């Protein structure tokens, strides 16, 4: 264990070697805990970002659908207006023709 920690030169009977091993192990544990905490925070941040991107995509899809519906409504309104204009023009032409026919009839 001491050689694994790079302490091959330390003598086992000396109390400093055991204390050094305990300190090194404690530092390694603290570093591992901090790294795990940072990894957890990064994972949570990435998950939040992914959720935000998904929400933004959903909002964009909803906006596109709303725009499509508005375009459809505008097209339907334009078609209705065109039909109304055509019907009004046809009625006016019919009235003009009727007036001309009546005038011709009374002129005779």
């Amino acid at each position: 264990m001491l050689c694994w920690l790079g302490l091959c030169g330390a003598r086992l009977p000396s109390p400093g070697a055991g204390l050094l091993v305990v300190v090194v192990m404690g530092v390694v544990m603290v570093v591992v805990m901090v790294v795990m905490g940072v990894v957890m925070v990064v994972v949570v941040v990435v998950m939040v970002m992914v959720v935000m991107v998904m929400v933004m995509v959903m909002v964009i899809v909803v906006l596109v659908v709303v725009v499509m519906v508005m375009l459809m409504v505008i097209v339907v309104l334009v078609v209705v207006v065109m039909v109304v204009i055509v019907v009004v023009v046809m009625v006016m032409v019919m009235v003009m023709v009727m007036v001309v026919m009546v005038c011709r009839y009374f002129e005779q």
Side-chain angles (χ1 to χ4, degrees):
M1 191 55 154
L2 291 177
C3 284
W4 181 65
L5 292 171
L7 301 171
C8 293
R11 292 189 303 277
L12 283 173
S14 67
L19 186 64
L20 191 61
V21 168
V22 170
V23 168
V24 168
M25 291 297 285
V27 168
V28 167
M29 288 292 288
V30 168
V31 168
V32 167
M33 291 291 284
V34 168
V35 168
M36 283 180 65
V38 169
V39 167
M40 289 285 288
V41 169
V42 167
V43 166
V44 168
V45 168
V46 168
M47 285 180 66
V48 168
M49 291 285 287
V50 167
V51 169
M52 283 177 62
V53 167
M54 286 178 64
V55 168
M56 284 177 63
V57 167
M58 289 291 292
V59 167
I60 289 170
V61 167
V62 168
L63 283 175
V64 167
V65 168
V66 167
V67 168
M68 292 282 286
V69 168
M70 285 177 64
L71 284 174
M72 290 291 290
V73 167
I74 289 169
V75 167
V76 167
L77 283 174
V78 166
V79 167
V80 166
V81 168
M82 293 284 286
V83 168
V84 166
I85 288 172
V86 167
V87 167
V88 167
V89 167
M90 285 181 63
V91 167
M92 286 177 64
V93 167
M94 293 278 289
V95 167
M96 292 286 287
V97 167
M98 291 292 289
V99 167
V100 167
M101 292 285 287
V102 168
C103 286
R104 287 265 179 91
Y105 179 77
F106 280 115
E107 281 181 358
Q108 290 177 359

